[in-house]
Amino acid sequence: MKLQDIKGTYDVIVSIGNACNPAMELKRLGLRSFSGPLDWSVSSSLKCKQVI
């Protein structure tokens, strides 16, 4: 995915997962106006793959 492909105006930006970093960055940029249900979702059956 390229930035040019997703550049535009959005009504809402939603962070997903239980990691705080996306939510904190959205708040820092003034783009986080609410906490959604996916912010509180945790699944111990899913494995995360670290991308470096």
Side-chain angles (χ1 to χ4, degrees):
M1 182 179 301
K2 296 178 182 176
L3 178 59
Q4 190 62 32
D5 296 338
I6 61 171
K7 242 181 173 179
T9 303
Y10 295 89
D11 293 327
V12 66
I13 299 173
V14 179
S15 62
I16 57 173
N18 65 339
C20 294
N21 293 345
M24 288 189 315
E25 282 301 304
L26 288 171
K27 185 174 183 178
R28 183 182 70 79
L29 296 169
L31 299 173
R32 181 178 166 93
S33 58
F34 65 92
S35 174
L38 297 177
D39 291 335
W40 303 99
S41 299
V42 177
S43 175
S44 60
S45 64
L46 297 175
K47 294 182 180 182
C48 295
K49 182 177 180 181
Q50 184 176 6
V51 178
I52 298 175

